[in-house]
Amino acid sequence: MTVLEVERLSKSFPIKSGLLQRETGRVRAVQDVSFSIARGETLALVGESGCGKTTVARCILRALPPSSGAIRFSPQEGTTIDLAPLSRSALRPIRRHIQMIFQDPYASLNPRMMVGDIIAEPLLVAGVPLAKRQARVRELLELVGLPPAARTRFPHAFSGGQRQRIGIARALALDPTLVVADEPVSALDVSVQAQIINLLLDLQDRLGLSMLFVAHDLGVVRHVSDRVAVMYVGRIVEVAPTIALYARPRHPYTEALLAAVPKPDPMLRDAAAAPRGEVADPANPPPGCAFHPRCPHAVDRCRVELPELREVAPGNFSACHRAEELTLVGVA
Amino acid sequence: MVEAARRVLSVRDLVVDFVQDTGTIRALDGVSLDLHAGRVLGVVGESGCGKSLTARAVLRLVDRPGRIVSGKVLLDPGAPAQQELTALDPEGEAIRAVRGGRIGLIFQEPMSALSMHYTVGNQIIEAIRAHSGLGKSAARQRAIELLQEVGIPRPETRIDAYPFQLSGGLRQRVGIALALAADPEILIADEPTTALDVTTQAQILALLRRLQRTKGMALMLITHDMGVIAQMADDVAVMYLGKVVEFAPVQQLFAAPRHPYTRALLRSVPNIRAVPRERLATIGGAVPHPESRPTGCAFHPRCPEIIAGRCALEMPPPLPPDQEGASCFHVMPKMMVDA
């Protein structure tokens, strides 16, 4: 069953300049993005900064109104609602079903609230009575591996990893249908990051969470996701099951990303060349395929014709004109 | 073992305290390490381990309430012109000639090294002229060459750009050009690619490696990323709570890590070759605040291999500089432990 289906989602922002702040152009941050997440599935959305992955997440949370496209969400079996056109008040009853885990465990918790109150806040907003709230907070603390005594303490008493556990407990308080996690471990030290990754894996198993996992670290993504969608300059360039994507990328940008990750093995000092050039400006993307100026495989067609995302192998989608003929290098 | 490359910098038993109303925090607790011409020393550890502070202390950039309590930093150790940086006035002429002169510095966020208000060219030209006798137009020519060398396209026009007009990757290239302005023998790079995207990171690492090799510089590369260490370092110093707990040539460190902390750290890195959904090895707890440094071996509360009655009470002997090994009771030769 599909929990979320995003279809041709686009979001652009005006560029204003001059004394009158007239609109002089538009940054197309997200363009024609389509994907779906099945119940119990974790889809990772990866890409470099500015690629639009966070904008996609914010549109799904309706923290931003999409410019066009549909965001079909199924809070329970048999009910599907398009979130894209909904008003604030129409969204309110739906919000409890989509929760967010933030990147920065320091900035995302109110320092003046006790941890128990932070975790209970979504329950309070949803009108859960006091006794039930307290029981649920105890349950959630246990679930994320924090001691019951954490309830009456303030966030500053906790380390970054523990604070991220608090943030996760808050996100899970209302048993959401979908969790959107935006770089949930990138601010943490490696040893703590590993603990949180394992916690997320445990929670996926125990609760059957459906997650959209926004991240840039391909190592982390490999551990937590079932499928991966790769974005480049506002568009999805490849979607595939995790193992397939890493073993045999079908888009040259995915290949470049995998090659660029520094491998923790001194015997494998890459001859692997970093891709040349820089990420294109989303306000002024190159014609054709946006990756063509950096692509070692580009041909004339790539410079003029925009490649559509299409199925090139079962379950494997690529937006590269040459996806079928190229044999790209992944990691074993 | 480290071959006989010329030692260009020695840090010996460096201790840095932060004196606060609530008490004194020992942030560096006897750090010793050496830099060699033409070699890359990777310094790795989690936040708060003192890796950046070591670099700042070398350059005498420790701000109040921090204070170098004891230990030495020697430039050209053993040479007739040996200079004791720890004996210099931190605001004096002599250290300023070293900073940005003999020793170049690259920061995580290049904007912290660059001013918003001056063009890239002005800042590099100023650095060139501060450390050489070049005239204005010769310095400008040299600045263009430097920008070219660090891979900035169209350097003759980019030289007149302001830093905010450049992308993060180009800014870090400018930061590297600035560090190279005085032709330093030593480069200290503090998390130079942490703020960058992965494809840009690969470009900057390749650039650093090329420059370090062609110029035969000693590079001290500070990072938290074991991948960056594996790709860049010749030798590695692993730090934990203000101490070097393990030192080894890079291949040795990854093939047979000696300290339980190094082992745990290596196992906890998410790997792009992992089996999907595989759990990572974890280290229990978090790095303690230096204010509440554990007794004995500082790693003992998190150590899976703790020896009862020993690690919590006694401090394992420190590592002699430049010798591979680990500061751990499991590793120290028996005689040293008994002594």
mmCIF file of all heavy atoms in Angstrom, chain A residues 72-118:
data_model
loop_
_atom_site.group_PDB
_atom_site.id
_atom_site.type_symbol
_atom_site.label_atom_id
_atom_site.label_comp_id
_atom_site.label_asym_id
_atom_site.label_seq_id
_atom_site.Cartn_x
_atom_site.Cartn_y
_atom_site.Cartn_z
ATOM 1 N N ARG A 72 -0.169 13.161 -2.888
ATOM 2 C CA ARG A 72 -1.266 12.317 -2.413
ATOM 3 C C ARG A 72 -0.823 11.489 -1.212
ATOM 4 O O ARG A 72 0.145 10.716 -1.292
ATOM 5 C CB ARG A 72 -1.765 11.415 -3.539
ATOM 6 C CG ARG A 72 -2.637 12.193 -4.533
ATOM 7 C CD ARG A 72 -3.279 11.269 -5.538
ATOM 8 N NE ARG A 72 -2.327 10.853 -6.553
ATOM 9 C CZ ARG A 72 -2.077 11.556 -7.658
ATOM 10 N NH1 ARG A 72 -2.706 12.685 -7.896
ATOM 11 N NH2 ARG A 72 -1.190 11.130 -8.529
ATOM 12 N N PHE A 73 -1.531 11.687 -0.108
ATOM 13 C CA PHE A 73 -1.135 11.091 1.160
ATOM 14 C C PHE A 73 -2.274 10.217 1.675
ATOM 15 O O PHE A 73 -3.430 10.611 1.611
ATOM 16 C CB PHE A 73 -0.813 12.217 2.157
ATOM 17 C CG PHE A 73 -0.533 11.748 3.548
ATOM 18 C CD1 PHE A 73 0.542 10.896 3.808
ATOM 19 C CD2 PHE A 73 -1.333 12.154 4.611
ATOM 20 C CE1 PHE A 73 0.808 10.459 5.093
ATOM 21 C CE2 PHE A 73 -1.066 11.716 5.903
ATOM 22 C CZ PHE A 73 -0.005 10.872 6.146
ATOM 23 N N SER A 74 -1.929 9.021 2.146
ATOM 24 C CA SER A 74 -2.948 8.112 2.686
ATOM 25 C C SER A 74 -2.722 7.897 4.177
ATOM 26 O O SER A 74 -1.940 7.028 4.554
ATOM 27 C CB SER A 74 -2.887 6.757 1.986
ATOM 28 O OG SER A 74 -3.016 6.914 0.606
ATOM 29 N N PRO A 75 -3.397 8.683 5.025
ATOM 30 C CA PRO A 75 -3.226 8.517 6.470
ATOM 31 C C PRO A 75 -3.677 7.137 6.932
ATOM 32 O O PRO A 75 -3.112 6.577 7.864
ATOM 33 C CB PRO A 75 -4.074 9.629 7.081
ATOM 34 C CG PRO A 75 -4.966 10.119 6.000
ATOM 35 C CD PRO A 75 -4.339 9.764 4.698
ATOM 36 N N GLN A 76 -4.707 6.592 6.330
ATOM 37 C CA GLN A 76 -5.042 5.200 6.584
ATOM 38 C C GLN A 76 -5.567 4.556 5.304
ATOM 39 O O GLN A 76 -5.849 5.244 4.329
ATOM 40 C CB GLN A 76 -6.051 5.053 7.737
ATOM 41 C CG GLN A 76 -7.346 5.812 7.571
ATOM 42 C CD GLN A 76 -7.404 7.001 8.524
ATOM 43 O OE1 GLN A 76 -6.863 6.929 9.618
ATOM 44 N NE2 GLN A 76 -8.049 8.079 8.119
ATOM 45 N N GLU A 77 -5.644 3.255 5.364
ATOM 46 C CA GLU A 77 -6.035 2.504 4.184
ATOM 47 C C GLU A 77 -7.381 3.026 3.657
ATOM 48 O O GLU A 77 -8.317 3.243 4.418
ATOM 49 C CB GLU A 77 -6.144 1.015 4.541
ATOM 50 C CG GLU A 77 -6.013 0.150 3.334
ATOM 51 C CD GLU A 77 -5.146 -1.079 3.605
ATOM 52 O OE1 GLU A 77 -4.760 -1.317 4.757
ATOM 53 O OE2 GLU A 77 -4.868 -1.787 2.630
ATOM 54 N N GLY A 78 -7.450 3.242 2.362
ATOM 55 C CA GLY A 78 -8.719 3.647 1.769
ATOM 56 C C GLY A 78 -8.942 5.145 1.704
ATOM 57 O O GLY A 78 -9.875 5.602 1.066
ATOM 58 N N THR A 79 -8.111 5.921 2.414
ATOM 59 C CA THR A 79 -8.266 7.374 2.372
ATOM 60 C C THR A 79 -7.051 7.980 1.682
ATOM 61 O O THR A 79 -5.922 7.712 2.098
ATOM 62 C CB THR A 79 -8.304 7.972 3.795
ATOM 63 O OG1 THR A 79 -9.018 7.087 4.635
ATOM 64 C CG2 THR A 79 -8.897 9.356 3.804
ATOM 65 N N THR A 80 -7.269 8.767 0.668
ATOM 66 C CA THR A 80 -6.153 9.456 0.034
ATOM 67 C C THR A 80 -6.532 10.913 -0.156
ATOM 68 O O THR A 80 -7.618 11.220 -0.653
ATOM 69 C CB THR A 80 -5.803 8.809 -1.316
ATOM 70 O OG1 THR A 80 -5.440 7.455 -1.079
ATOM 71 C CG2 THR A 80 -4.632 9.514 -1.973
ATOM 72 N N ILE A 81 -5.612 11.793 0.306
ATOM 73 C CA ILE A 81 -5.889 13.221 0.223
ATOM 74 C C ILE A 81 -4.737 13.884 -0.517
ATOM 75 O O ILE A 81 -3.582 13.588 -0.243
ATOM 76 C CB ILE A 81 -5.969 13.834 1.639
ATOM 77 C CG1 ILE A 81 -6.891 13.002 2.531
ATOM 78 C CG2 ILE A 81 -6.420 15.285 1.596
ATOM 79 C CD1 ILE A 81 -6.499 13.023 3.982
ATOM 80 N N ASP A 82 -5.056 14.794 -1.431
ATOM 81 C CA ASP A 82 -3.995 15.576 -2.061
ATOM 82 C C ASP A 82 -3.696 16.781 -1.171
ATOM 83 O O ASP A 82 -4.543 17.656 -0.977
ATOM 84 C CB ASP A 82 -4.437 16.028 -3.452
ATOM 85 C CG ASP A 82 -3.319 16.772 -4.182
ATOM 86 O OD1 ASP A 82 -2.210 16.913 -3.608
ATOM 87 O OD2 ASP A 82 -3.556 17.220 -5.326
ATOM 88 N N LEU A 83 -2.484 16.808 -0.622
ATOM 89 C CA LEU A 83 -2.124 17.873 0.320
ATOM 90 C C LEU A 83 -1.810 19.185 -0.396
ATOM 91 O O LEU A 83 -1.868 20.250 0.199
ATOM 92 C CB LEU A 83 -0.886 17.473 1.148
ATOM 93 C CG LEU A 83 -0.947 16.157 1.926
ATOM 94 C CD1 LEU A 83 0.353 15.963 2.692
ATOM 95 C CD2 LEU A 83 -2.132 16.141 2.874
ATOM 96 N N ALA A 84 -1.443 19.091 -1.677
ATOM 97 C CA ALA A 84 -0.939 20.273 -2.378
ATOM 98 C C ALA A 84 -1.891 21.466 -2.323
ATOM 99 O O ALA A 84 -1.454 22.573 -2.023
ATOM 100 C CB ALA A 84 -0.563 19.917 -3.811
ATOM 101 N N PRO A 85 -3.181 21.287 -2.594
ATOM 102 C CA PRO A 85 -4.041 22.472 -2.642
ATOM 103 C C PRO A 85 -4.687 22.836 -1.297
ATOM 104 O O PRO A 85 -5.410 23.829 -1.235
ATOM 105 C CB PRO A 85 -5.127 22.061 -3.645
ATOM 106 C CG PRO A 85 -5.227 20.578 -3.503
ATOM 107 C CD PRO A 85 -3.897 20.078 -3.023
ATOM 108 N N LEU A 86 -4.443 22.066 -0.235
ATOM 109 C CA LEU A 86 -5.197 22.267 1.005
ATOM 110 C C LEU A 86 -4.854 23.577 1.706
ATOM 111 O O LEU A 86 -3.711 24.037 1.700
ATOM 112 C CB LEU A 86 -4.962 21.113 1.977
ATOM 113 C CG LEU A 86 -5.544 19.747 1.604
ATOM 114 C CD1 LEU A 86 -5.460 18.810 2.795
ATOM 115 C CD2 LEU A 86 -6.984 19.858 1.129
ATOM 116 N N SER A 87 -5.844 24.164 2.342
ATOM 117 C CA SER A 87 -5.646 25.379 3.126
ATOM 118 C C SER A 87 -5.089 25.005 4.502
ATOM 119 O O SER A 87 -5.108 23.838 4.894
ATOM 120 C CB SER A 87 -6.984 26.096 3.316
ATOM 121 O OG SER A 87 -7.821 25.275 4.106
ATOM 122 N N ARG A 88 -4.632 26.015 5.216
ATOM 123 C CA ARG A 88 -4.075 25.774 6.560
ATOM 124 C C ARG A 88 -5.049 25.020 7.450
ATOM 125 O O ARG A 88 -4.675 24.069 8.127
ATOM 126 C CB ARG A 88 -3.749 27.110 7.237
ATOM 127 C CG ARG A 88 -2.419 27.691 6.842
ATOM 128 C CD ARG A 88 -2.269 29.055 7.490
ATOM 129 N NE ARG A 88 -2.079 28.911 8.937
ATOM 130 C CZ ARG A 88 -0.904 29.067 9.532
ATOM 131 N NH1 ARG A 88 0.148 29.385 8.834
ATOM 132 N NH2 ARG A 88 -0.803 28.937 10.844
ATOM 133 N N SER A 89 -6.295 25.457 7.431
ATOM 134 C CA SER A 89 -7.243 24.823 8.349
ATOM 135 C C SER A 89 -7.589 23.409 7.899
ATOM 136 O O SER A 89 -7.772 22.518 8.729
ATOM 137 C CB SER A 89 -8.508 25.682 8.485
ATOM 138 O OG SER A 89 -9.061 25.897 7.210
ATOM 139 N N ALA A 90 -7.620 23.210 6.592
ATOM 140 C CA ALA A 90 -7.903 21.857 6.104
ATOM 141 C C ALA A 90 -6.747 20.917 6.404
ATOM 142 O O ALA A 90 -6.927 19.706 6.538
ATOM 143 C CB ALA A 90 -8.181 21.893 4.596
ATOM 144 N N LEU A 91 -5.540 21.486 6.506
ATOM 145 C CA LEU A 91 -4.363 20.667 6.778
ATOM 146 C C LEU A 91 -4.275 20.220 8.229
ATOM 147 O O LEU A 91 -3.708 19.177 8.536
ATOM 148 C CB LEU A 91 -3.084 21.460 6.446
ATOM 149 C CG LEU A 91 -2.654 21.474 4.994
ATOM 150 C CD1 LEU A 91 -1.632 22.579 4.779
ATOM 151 C CD2 LEU A 91 -2.069 20.128 4.597
ATOM 152 N N ARG A 92 -4.856 21.049 9.118
ATOM 153 C CA ARG A 92 -4.631 20.821 10.548
ATOM 154 C C ARG A 92 -4.911 19.388 11.003
ATOM 155 O O ARG A 92 -4.060 18.785 11.651
ATOM 156 C CB ARG A 92 -5.416 21.846 11.387
ATOM 157 C CG ARG A 92 -4.920 21.877 12.826
ATOM 158 C CD ARG A 92 -5.383 23.100 13.576
ATOM 159 N NE ARG A 92 -4.900 24.334 12.973
ATOM 160 C CZ ARG A 92 -5.666 25.384 12.712
ATOM 161 N NH1 ARG A 92 -6.957 25.347 12.958
ATOM 162 N NH2 ARG A 92 -5.148 26.461 12.183
ATOM 163 N N PRO A 93 -6.050 18.794 10.655
ATOM 164 C CA PRO A 93 -6.285 17.414 11.132
ATOM 165 C C PRO A 93 -5.343 16.384 10.516
ATOM 166 O O PRO A 93 -5.208 15.276 11.041
ATOM 167 C CB PRO A 93 -7.735 17.144 10.711
ATOM 168 C CG PRO A 93 -8.040 18.119 9.646
ATOM 169 C CD PRO A 93 -7.209 19.330 9.937
ATOM 170 N N ILE A 94 -4.672 16.747 9.441
ATOM 171 C CA ILE A 94 -3.801 15.777 8.768
ATOM 172 C C ILE A 94 -2.386 15.820 9.314
ATOM 173 O O ILE A 94 -1.665 14.838 9.288
ATOM 174 C CB ILE A 94 -3.802 16.048 7.246
ATOM 175 C CG1 ILE A 94 -5.217 15.819 6.727
ATOM 176 C CG2 ILE A 94 -2.829 15.142 6.505
ATOM 177 C CD1 ILE A 94 -5.464 16.425 5.397
ATOM 178 N N ARG A 95 -2.023 16.982 9.846
ATOM 179 C CA ARG A 95 -0.634 17.175 10.266
ATOM 180 C C ARG A 95 -0.130 16.120 11.243
ATOM 181 O O ARG A 95 1.028 15.741 11.210
ATOM 182 C CB ARG A 95 -0.437 18.567 10.862
ATOM 183 C CG ARG A 95 -0.511 19.666 9.822
ATOM 184 C CD ARG A 95 0.183 20.919 10.321
ATOM 185 N NE ARG A 95 0.034 22.014 9.380
ATOM 186 C CZ ARG A 95 0.828 22.198 8.327
ATOM 187 N NH1 ARG A 95 1.813 21.352 8.101
ATOM 188 N NH2 ARG A 95 0.645 23.211 7.516
ATOM 189 N N ARG A 96 -1.018 15.652 12.129
ATOM 190 C CA ARG A 96 -0.570 14.678 13.130
ATOM 191 C C ARG A 96 -0.068 13.387 12.490
ATOM 192 O O ARG A 96 0.682 12.646 13.102
ATOM 193 C CB ARG A 96 -1.707 14.365 14.112
ATOM 194 C CG ARG A 96 -2.933 13.755 13.447
ATOM 195 C CD ARG A 96 -3.957 13.315 14.457
ATOM 196 N NE ARG A 96 -3.469 12.176 15.245
ATOM 197 C CZ ARG A 96 -4.068 11.744 16.337
ATOM 198 N NH1 ARG A 96 -5.124 12.364 16.810
ATOM 199 N NH2 ARG A 96 -3.605 10.700 16.991
ATOM 200 N N HIS A 97 -0.455 13.134 11.261
ATOM 201 C CA HIS A 97 -0.053 11.883 10.609
ATOM 202 C C HIS A 97 1.317 11.970 9.941
ATOM 203 O O HIS A 97 1.850 10.975 9.500
ATOM 204 C CB HIS A 97 -1.100 11.466 9.566
ATOM 205 C CG HIS A 97 -2.464 11.253 10.158
ATOM 206 N ND1 HIS A 97 -2.729 10.224 11.028
ATOM 207 C CD2 HIS A 97 -3.612 11.957 10.035
ATOM 208 C CE1 HIS A 97 -4.000 10.283 11.394
ATOM 209 N NE2 HIS A 97 -4.555 11.340 10.816
ATOM 210 N N ILE A 98 1.824 13.197 9.778
ATOM 211 C CA ILE A 98 3.157 13.357 9.175
ATOM 212 C C ILE A 98 4.020 14.108 10.181
ATOM 213 O O ILE A 98 3.718 15.248 10.536
ATOM 214 C CB ILE A 98 3.107 14.166 7.866
ATOM 215 C CG1 ILE A 98 2.098 13.560 6.890
ATOM 216 C CG2 ILE A 98 4.492 14.217 7.225
ATOM 217 C CD1 ILE A 98 1.993 14.300 5.570
ATOM 218 N N GLN A 99 5.065 13.473 10.661
ATOM 219 C CA GLN A 99 5.913 14.122 11.651
ATOM 220 C C GLN A 99 7.338 14.253 11.134
ATOM 221 O O GLN A 99 7.735 13.573 10.197
ATOM 222 C CB GLN A 99 5.896 13.335 12.971
ATOM 223 C CG GLN A 99 4.534 13.332 13.652
ATOM 224 C CD GLN A 99 4.160 14.692 14.228
ATOM 225 O OE1 GLN A 99 5.028 15.437 14.674
ATOM 226 N NE2 GLN A 99 2.876 15.014 14.211
ATOM 227 N N MET A 100 8.073 15.134 11.795
ATOM 228 C CA MET A 100 9.388 15.508 11.270
ATOM 229 C C MET A 100 10.473 15.264 12.320
ATOM 230 O O MET A 100 10.276 15.534 13.504
ATOM 231 C CB MET A 100 9.299 17.000 10.953
ATOM 232 C CG MET A 100 10.598 17.650 10.635
ATOM 233 S SD MET A 100 10.617 18.075 8.890
ATOM 234 C CE MET A 100 12.317 18.548 8.673
ATOM 235 N N ILE A 101 11.607 14.766 11.870
ATOM 236 C CA ILE A 101 12.800 14.720 12.720
ATOM 237 C C ILE A 101 13.793 15.703 12.116
ATOM 238 O O ILE A 101 14.071 15.653 10.915
ATOM 239 C CB ILE A 101 13.422 13.306 12.770
ATOM 240 C CG1 ILE A 101 12.399 12.295 13.295
ATOM 241 C CG2 ILE A 101 14.677 13.292 13.639
ATOM 242 C CD1 ILE A 101 12.853 10.845 13.148
ATOM 243 N N PHE A 102 14.309 16.597 12.958
ATOM 244 C CA PHE A 102 15.135 17.690 12.455
ATOM 245 C C PHE A 102 16.621 17.345 12.496
ATOM 246 O O PHE A 102 17.055 16.436 13.189
ATOM 247 C CB PHE A 102 14.892 18.953 13.279
ATOM 248 C CG PHE A 102 13.493 19.470 13.174
ATOM 249 C CD1 PHE A 102 12.519 19.059 14.072
ATOM 250 C CD2 PHE A 102 13.138 20.354 12.171
ATOM 251 C CE1 PHE A 102 11.215 19.521 13.978
ATOM 252 C CE2 PHE A 102 11.844 20.817 12.069
ATOM 253 C CZ PHE A 102 10.880 20.406 12.977
ATOM 254 N N GLN A 103 17.382 18.167 11.765
ATOM 255 C CA GLN A 103 18.829 17.967 11.719
ATOM 256 C C GLN A 103 19.499 18.343 13.026
ATOM 257 O O GLN A 103 20.311 17.600 13.560
ATOM 258 C CB GLN A 103 19.426 18.805 10.590
ATOM 259 C CG GLN A 103 20.944 18.763 10.595
ATOM 260 C CD GLN A 103 21.558 19.506 9.425
ATOM 261 O OE1 GLN A 103 20.868 20.133 8.639
ATOM 262 N NE2 GLN A 103 22.859 19.428 9.316
ATOM 263 N N ASP A 104 19.155 19.509 13.537
ATOM 264 C CA ASP A 104 19.932 20.069 14.630
ATOM 265 C C ASP A 104 19.273 19.785 15.976
ATOM 266 O O ASP A 104 18.276 20.411 16.330
ATOM 267 C CB ASP A 104 20.068 21.579 14.440
ATOM 268 C CG ASP A 104 21.008 22.184 15.468
ATOM 269 O OD1 ASP A 104 21.310 21.506 16.474
ATOM 270 O OD2 ASP A 104 21.429 23.328 15.276
ATOM 271 N N PRO A 105 19.824 18.841 16.736
ATOM 272 C CA PRO A 105 19.184 18.485 18.001
ATOM 273 C C PRO A 105 19.294 19.595 19.038
ATOM 274 O O PRO A 105 18.631 19.539 20.068
ATOM 275 C CB PRO A 105 19.941 17.231 18.441
ATOM 276 C CG PRO A 105 21.246 17.286 17.748
ATOM 277 C CD PRO A 105 21.036 18.064 16.485
ATOM 278 N N TYR A 106 20.122 20.600 18.757
ATOM 279 C CA TYR A 106 20.247 21.703 19.709
ATOM 280 C C TYR A 106 19.192 22.765 19.459
ATOM 281 O O TYR A 106 18.657 23.358 20.378
ATOM 282 C CB TYR A 106 21.654 22.305 19.656
ATOM 283 C CG TYR A 106 22.675 21.331 20.190
ATOM 284 C CD1 TYR A 106 23.261 20.394 19.355
ATOM 285 C CD2 TYR A 106 22.990 21.310 21.543
ATOM 286 C CE1 TYR A 106 24.158 19.466 19.849
ATOM 287 C CE2 TYR A 106 23.892 20.389 22.046
ATOM 288 C CZ TYR A 106 24.471 19.467 21.195
ATOM 289 O OH TYR A 106 25.344 18.542 21.694
ATOM 290 N N ALA A 107 18.906 23.021 18.183
ATOM 291 C CA ALA A 107 17.989 24.108 17.845
ATOM 292 C C ALA A 107 16.532 23.661 17.840
ATOM 293 O O ALA A 107 15.633 24.489 17.904
ATOM 294 C CB ALA A 107 18.347 24.687 16.484
ATOM 295 N N SER A 108 16.288 22.351 17.767
ATOM 296 C CA SER A 108 14.903 21.923 17.556
ATOM 297 C C SER A 108 14.158 21.599 18.845
ATOM 298 O O SER A 108 13.012 21.182 18.797
ATOM 299 C CB SER A 108 14.873 20.718 16.601
ATOM 300 O OG SER A 108 15.681 19.678 17.089
ATOM 301 N N LEU A 109 14.805 21.781 19.998
ATOM 302 C CA LEU A 109 14.109 21.543 21.262
ATOM 303 C C LEU A 109 14.052 22.849 22.065
ATOM 304 O O LEU A 109 15.058 23.546 22.189
ATOM 305 C CB LEU A 109 14.841 20.481 22.098
ATOM 306 C CG LEU A 109 15.068 19.107 21.450
ATOM 307 C CD1 LEU A 109 15.850 18.214 22.405
ATOM 308 C CD2 LEU A 109 13.760 18.454 21.062
ATOM 309 N N ASN A 110 12.910 23.163 22.617
ATOM 310 C CA ASN A 110 12.759 24.373 23.422
ATOM 311 C C ASN A 110 13.542 24.221 24.732
ATOM 312 O O ASN A 110 13.240 23.342 25.540
ATOM 313 C CB ASN A 110 11.270 24.592 23.714
ATOM 314 C CG ASN A 110 11.016 25.898 24.445
ATOM 315 O OD1 ASN A 110 11.925 26.459 25.060
ATOM 316 N ND2 ASN A 110 9.792 26.370 24.377
ATOM 317 N N PRO A 111 14.554 25.085 24.952
ATOM 318 C CA PRO A 111 15.409 24.911 26.131
ATOM 319 C C PRO A 111 14.674 25.161 27.447
ATOM 320 O O PRO A 111 15.159 24.783 28.515
ATOM 321 C CB PRO A 111 16.517 25.946 25.919
ATOM 322 C CG PRO A 111 15.923 26.968 25.014
ATOM 323 C CD PRO A 111 14.967 26.218 24.130
ATOM 324 N N ARG A 112 13.512 25.815 27.386
ATOM 325 C CA ARG A 112 12.790 26.136 28.626
ATOM 326 C C ARG A 112 11.724 25.101 28.972
ATOM 327 O O ARG A 112 10.978 25.273 29.916
ATOM 328 C CB ARG A 112 12.112 27.499 28.496
ATOM 329 C CG ARG A 112 13.104 28.629 28.492
ATOM 330 C CD ARG A 112 12.447 29.880 27.927
ATOM 331 N NE ARG A 112 13.441 30.702 27.267
ATOM 332 C CZ ARG A 112 14.158 31.630 27.904
ATOM 333 N NH1 ARG A 112 13.958 31.859 29.177
ATOM 334 N NH2 ARG A 112 15.053 32.330 27.244
ATOM 335 N N MET A 113 11.622 24.079 28.151
ATOM 336 C CA MET A 113 10.609 23.057 28.446
ATOM 337 C C MET A 113 11.275 21.789 28.936
ATOM 338 O O MET A 113 12.326 21.396 28.435
ATOM 339 C CB MET A 113 9.797 22.749 27.190
ATOM 340 C CG MET A 113 8.664 23.711 26.938
ATOM 341 S SD MET A 113 7.946 23.445 25.309
ATOM 342 C CE MET A 113 6.911 22.019 25.620
ATOM 343 N N MET A 114 10.620 21.119 29.901
ATOM 344 C CA MET A 114 11.131 19.839 30.344
ATOM 345 C C MET A 114 10.899 18.805 29.245
ATOM 346 O O MET A 114 9.951 18.898 28.465
ATOM 347 C CB MET A 114 10.446 19.401 31.643
ATOM 348 C CG MET A 114 11.009 20.125 32.855
ATOM 349 S SD MET A 114 10.502 19.365 34.398
ATOM 350 C CE MET A 114 8.768 19.707 34.407
ATOM 351 N N VAL A 115 11.801 17.822 29.218
ATOM 352 C CA VAL A 115 11.771 16.824 28.156
ATOM 353 C C VAL A 115 10.406 16.137 28.062
ATOM 354 O O VAL A 115 9.863 15.928 26.973
ATOM 355 C CB VAL A 115 12.903 15.805 28.375
ATOM 356 C CG1 VAL A 115 12.729 14.581 27.500
ATOM 357 C CG2 VAL A 115 14.243 16.474 28.106
ATOM 358 N N GLY A 116 9.814 15.815 29.219
ATOM 359 C CA GLY A 116 8.495 15.180 29.226
ATOM 360 C C GLY A 116 7.457 16.041 28.525
ATOM 361 O O GLY A 116 6.617 15.542 27.773
ATOM 362 N N ASP A 117 7.541 17.353 28.753
ATOM 363 C CA ASP A 117 6.576 18.265 28.134
ATOM 364 C C ASP A 117 6.823 18.408 26.638
ATOM 365 O O ASP A 117 5.890 18.569 25.855
ATOM 366 C CB ASP A 117 6.642 19.637 28.810
ATOM 367 C CG ASP A 117 6.207 19.558 30.268
ATOM 368 O OD1 ASP A 117 5.425 18.646 30.586
ATOM 369 O OD2 ASP A 117 6.674 20.383 31.072
ATOM 370 N N ILE A 118 8.112 18.381 26.264
ATOM 371 C CA ILE A 118 8.447 18.471 24.832
ATOM 372 C C ILE A 118 7.830 17.290 24.085
ATOM 373 O O ILE A 118 7.191 17.446 23.046
ATOM 374 C CB ILE A 118 9.984 18.487 24.624
ATOM 375 C CG1 ILE A 118 10.570 19.797 25.153
ATOM 376 C CG2 ILE A 118 10.345 18.271 23.159
ATOM 377 C CD1 ILE A 118 12.092 19.853 25.129
#
